[in-house]
Amino acid sequence: MQDQHNPRPESGDPVIDPSIWRGMTQRRMSRRQMLRAAGTGAGALGVSAFLAACGVKGATATGSSTTKPGGVGSAQWWAKQKLNHTVNFANWPYYIDVLKGKHPTLEHFTQLTGIQVNYTEPISDNLPFYAKIRPSLQAQQNTGYDIIVMTNNSPPLGYLINYGWLTPLDQHAMVNFHKYASPLVANPSWDRGNKYSMAWQSGWTAVGYNSSIIKNPGNSVDILFDRRYSGKVGMMADPQELGSLGLLAIGVEPATSTESDWAKAAKKLQQQKSDGIVRAYYDQDYINHLKNGDTVVSQDWSGDIFQADLNSKTSDLKLLIPREGGMFWTDNMCIPMYAQNPKDAMTLMDYYYDPQVQAVVEYYDDYVCPVPDAQKVLLNPTGWAAETLHAMKPSIGLPYAKTANAATVFPDTPAVQASRPYYQYKSQEELTAWNNLFLPITQGS
């Protein structure tokens, strides 16, 4: 049976609605209040049309997701690789520690290893970045990047794996990872054995509510369907997020759902709308409506609630990861095929699984940390981490314990157990079927 977590495109890439990608982009940048304007085009944008517009026509797979004996990514291949003392790292904007215009963890890495890091932020959306690097990969050429960061609930990561366009990682070089990685990101469903990826940061799509109004929220997604809050409930316009919530509401795991399940979930969501429970279907601006009282409970992204809690005026906003689960997404570090500095890339990727290093990153970013032991460092920093955190504190203005004790950064065991993976589309037809069910709910038709 084909692995549903890594769909292999058979007749070109699926049609992706823009709202899926808007949500993926904006949730990352909202932590630092640096939102990129959402796309405003109407209707669905086909990936094939998008790629054609970027000059990528008729692309076909040239690689293989199976590592051949002695081939790229094999133990023999890795044994031959040498350090070149440079690495090109492509990431999302506002997604790494910053102090006076520099990145302390990258500077520390260079001091330790002598490896210079060319750090850039060209990824503001999974799909356009995939379109950008795909021609080079198809031509079996270097993309210019040694590390890229891609999201697990976006089809491009599955395409990169299944086209054979990611380099299998050197497991022997993942010393910190195998020692410190969180259960949430070790051996994940989208990349069993972490053959191609190591998590950068993660987050949830869950439920946010105003605790000054809702004193007893319970522990279920049913709160979003409660008639007591009619006209005060916010739902997401992103069809992937909306549909996943609908599936949780009918007791179905999104990752293993069927088209029949989708229809039942859509029916429940349509009833929620018809009953007048939903005020509106939001993009990133859902958080503003939750803050100003237009809504009292809403689908939310976990980092937004953390940021709201830092302001006394919005500290009543709380996060609920319901018993049915919170949708868990992860941005993953990967090495694209034909990278020029793979050994340097592996060295940097594993460096970020040092708890001291992650403590510095989390103090700035406040995402779900892939290294639980970083919490201990934040509670009792020593050495390099202590010096760096002390230098960063005036600009961030928070006690280290605020980050260390945040359930959205260092989740407890129930939250870990409640994390749910997204459904991974296996074909264009499946994605079209999903959108045909859930997009009309948000669009009023």
Side-chain angles (χ1 to χ4, degrees), residues 169-223:
L169 303 181
D170 182 0
Q171 298 293 320
H172 295 293
M174 296 163 61
V175 178
N176 286 331
F177 179 88
H178 291 310
K179 183 176 181 179
Y180 295 115
S182 163
L184 280 169
V185 298
N187 191 34
S189 59
W190 60 89
D191 180 21
R192 290 301 185 191
N194 294 96
K195 185 175 181 180
Y196 300 100
S197 68
M198 295 163 65
W200 176 252
Q201 301 282 285
S202 305
W204 286 288
T205 303
V207 177
Y209 67 97
N210 189 326
S211 63
S212 68
I213 297 173
I214 301 178
K215 303 296 184 181
N216 181 19
N219 65 348
S220 172
V221 296
D222 290 345
I223 190 173

Side-chain angles (χ1 to χ4, degrees), residues 377-425:
V377 178
L378 284 165
L379 291 172
N380 185 28
T382 58
W384 170 80
E387 295 174 5
T388 306
L389 290 168
H390 179 73
M392 294 171 67
K393 189 172 182 179
S395 61
I396 294 180
L398 295 177
Y400 313 139
K402 186 73 173 181
T403 296
N405 293 324
T408 54
V409 179
F410 296 100
D412 56 17
T413 299
V416 172
Q417 293 175 340
S419 298
R420 299 288 182 266
Y422 290 82
Y423 184 83
Q424 297 296 320
Y425 309 107

Side-chain angles (χ1 to χ4, degrees), residues 136-192:
S136 296
L137 293 170
Q138 187 186 10
Q140 302 183 35
Q141 296 174 352
N142 175 30
T143 63
Y145 306 115
D146 302 305
I147 301 174
I148 59 176
V149 179
M150 302 297 286
T151 314
N152 70 301
N153 66 337
S154 68
L157 180 59
Y159 302 160
L160 289 168
I161 290 174
N162 285 289
Y163 281 151
W165 287 341
L166 294 181
T167 302
L169 303 181
D170 182 0
Q171 298 293 320
H172 295 293
M174 296 163 61
V175 178
N176 286 331
F177 179 88
H178 291 310
K179 183 176 181 179
Y180 295 115
S182 163
L184 280 169
V185 298
N187 191 34
S189 59
W190 60 89
D191 180 21
R192 290 301 185 191

Side-chain angles (χ1 to χ4, degrees), residues 115-408:
I115 299 172
Q116 297 290 329
V117 183
N118 300 316
Y119 184 83
T120 57
E121 300 176 336
I123 311 173
S124 60
D125 206 325
N126 287 277
L127 182 58
F129 183 74
Y130 170 70
K132 175 182 176 180
I133 65 175
R134 180 172 176 168
S136 296
L137 293 170
Q138 187 186 10
Q140 302 183 35
Q141 296 174 352
N142 175 30
T143 63
Y145 306 115
D146 302 305
I147 301 174
I148 59 176
V149 179
M150 302 297 286
T151 314
N152 70 301
N153 66 337
S154 68
L157 180 59
Y159 302 160
L160 289 168
I161 290 174
N162 285 289
Y163 281 151
W165 287 341
L166 294 181
T167 302
L169 303 181
D170 182 0
Q171 298 293 320
H172 295 293
M174 296 163 61
V175 178
N176 286 331
F177 179 88
H178 291 310
K179 183 176 181 179
Y180 295 115
S182 163
L184 280 169
V185 298
N187 191 34
S189 59
W190 60 89
D191 180 21
R192 290 301 185 191
N194 294 96
K195 185 175 181 180
Y196 300 100
S197 68
M198 295 163 65
W200 176 252
Q201 301 282 285
S202 305
W204 286 288
T205 303
V207 177
Y209 67 97
N210 189 326
S211 63
S212 68
I213 297 173
I214 301 178
K215 303 296 184 181
N216 181 19
N219 65 348
S220 172
V221 296
D222 290 345
I223 190 173
L224 293 168
F225 298 82
D226 195 324
R227 292 176 182 271
R228 288 179 295 176
Y229 311 121
S230 291
K232 291 285 188 175
V233 173
M235 300 295 286
M236 288 189 171
D238 181 330
Q240 187 178 42
E241 299 288 19
L242 182 67
S244 296
L245 187 283
L247 287 165
L248 293 176
I250 63 170
V252 174
E253 294 283 343
T256 55
S257 61
T258 66
E259 289 192 37
S260 174
D261 296 325
W262 305 349
K264 295 174 184 175
K267 183 177 180 181
K268 184 172 182 66
L269 291 166
Q270 183 60 59
Q271 188 64 52
Q272 175 200 36
K273 179 180 180 178
S274 299
D275 289 344
I277 295 173
V278 180
R279 181 184 190 276
Y281 298 88
Y282 299 106
D283 289 318
Q284 179 63 41
D285 61 341
Y286 83 88
I287 190 64
N288 296 324
H289 294 278
L290 192 57
K291 287 178 179 179
N292 67 23
D294 290 340
T295 59
V296 297
V297 61
S298 179
Q299 277 188 282
D300 81 311
W301 289 315
S302 56
D304 290 332
I305 300 300
F306 178 89
Q307 287 294 318
D309 187 52
L310 300 180
N311 188 326
S312 60
K313 294 181 179 179
T314 55
S315 60
D316 288 331
L317 301 187
K318 303 299 179 185
L319 176 72
L320 168 66
I321 299 180
R323 65 169 184 264
E324 295 88 352
M327 300 309 299
F328 188 73
W329 53 265
T330 295
D331 290 327
N332 303 273
M333 295 182 286
C334 308
I335 302 176
M337 192 64 77
Y338 319 116
Q340 298 299 293
N341 307 294
K343 189 174 181 69
D344 303 85
M346 285 298 321
T347 305
L348 180 58
M349 289 163 67
D350 197 58
Y351 162 81
Y352 274 103
Y353 276 79
D354 181 310
Q356 286 209 348
V357 176
Q358 270 298 315
V360 172
V361 174
E362 290 306 333
Y363 185 53
Y364 182 84
D365 268 0
D366 304 316
Y367 282 73
V368 178
C369 183
V371 180
D373 278 5
Q375 183 180 41
K376 300 175 185 177
V377 178
L378 284 165
L379 291 172
N380 185 28
T382 58
W384 170 80
E387 295 174 5
T388 306
L389 290 168
H390 179 73
M392 294 171 67
K393 189 172 182 179
S395 61
I396 294 180
L398 295 177
Y400 313 139
K402 186 73 173 181
T403 296
N405 293 324
T408 54

